Amino acid sequence: MRNLRRTILTGAAAAMLLVTGLAVQPAAAVVPDPPTLPAAASHGITVVHWAKSTPTETAPFYDLTLTTDAIHKNLGPGAPTVPAHPQIKVRILLPAGYRTDPAHPYRSLYLLHGGNDTFASWSDKGDVAAITANAAFDGIVVMPEGGDAGWYSDWVTGTTGNIAPQWETFHMKQLVPWIDANFNTITDRSGRSIAGLSMGGYGALRYAGRYPELFSAAAGFSPGTNIEMPWAQALVHGSVVQVPLAPTAPGAFIGAYDANTPNLARYQYPLGWLWGPHQVFGTIDTWDAQNPVKIAAAGGYGSYGGKFAFYAGNTAGGSDAQIQSDAVDFHAKLNTAGTAHRFCTGPGTHDWAYWQKDLADFLKVIAGTASDNQCTTNAGWSKVS
């Protein structure tokens, strides 16, 4: 009986400890309500909705839904035949304990998604909250919609629905000043960085070259660096002919359209029109100012003071093989121009597993702590001199 009583008491004590232990476990982080937007209707942007990204999100992600005439430019002379003002999404990651304190403004990082992806890709696939937390990046991350095949450009021609999206205008001339007007940011180039993957890598390099007054650090992960290459032109052509205009229509290819989207052809870029890249970039005489390799050759990235990086896998026959080949030439042009930069490469493909580590490395570039001896934690990668 004594042993039984001891056993019962011991079991009861253990149960009490278990319950007590459960009671003192730290509660899951509560995401604060979204901060007030003091200049919501400004810089050509109209806010439709501003809220936490999802009810279950544990990181401070917030989703902005907006409209802008930039993504509904009328080609004329006829009226557009697509619904007016498509809604655009921007996901924003705020630092823990974000405060509106003008004496302590935050850095901002603009993070661009790839083709056939969305504003949510860096959070849903890229684990951006954990990567920035591990890097102690105490800044605001802005992840805007860029279209399934928007190419981060102001379109010269457009869809059969008579509209030409102006993604560059939206991102650089509307969104950047809007963010500064509504959040506690460092409002000059010293506090802003930009990066992106794949199509978004091209976008980041494009914007960095065309708007060096806006950014102090820039990076491309598996980026397009030469839009004149035949394989790149074929890729752009295929994307704009076969992929309907996002975000007003899904990004499925011909033969796999969403049956729930009415009159989908209105969002397409017609096959019979000009060769696809000319619809995006305009006539060939305007391409040098939009082509990273030509910007590099002209010394256009010189103002970044070494905080300029790009990354590409070099696995033979892999999905980054053509990108890496062009990146080698891009690297050579930067060297010839005397532009300090960071080119990381090694065994790898066109995949999130590599892009996540690329981002982690770039955050070290921003902080000034990147090491030449470890160019990302991708196995076998190194910095090319």
Side-chain angles (χ1 to χ4, degrees), residues 50 70 138 168 182 188 221 325:
W50 169 236
D138 188 30
E168 181 175 312
N182 285 282
D188 59 47
F221 315 139
S325 178

Side-chain angles (χ1 to χ4, degrees), residues 40-76:
S42 64
H43 302 284
I45 287 174
T46 300
V47 174
V48 175
H49 191 61
W50 169 236
K52 299 177 188 179
S53 60
T54 68
T56 58
E57 194 64 71
T58 56
F61 285 111
Y62 302 89
D63 284 353
L64 173 70
T65 305
L66 62 90
T67 61
T68 165
D69 288 340
I71 308 302
H72 200 259
K73 181 183 177 182
N74 185 7
L75 289 177

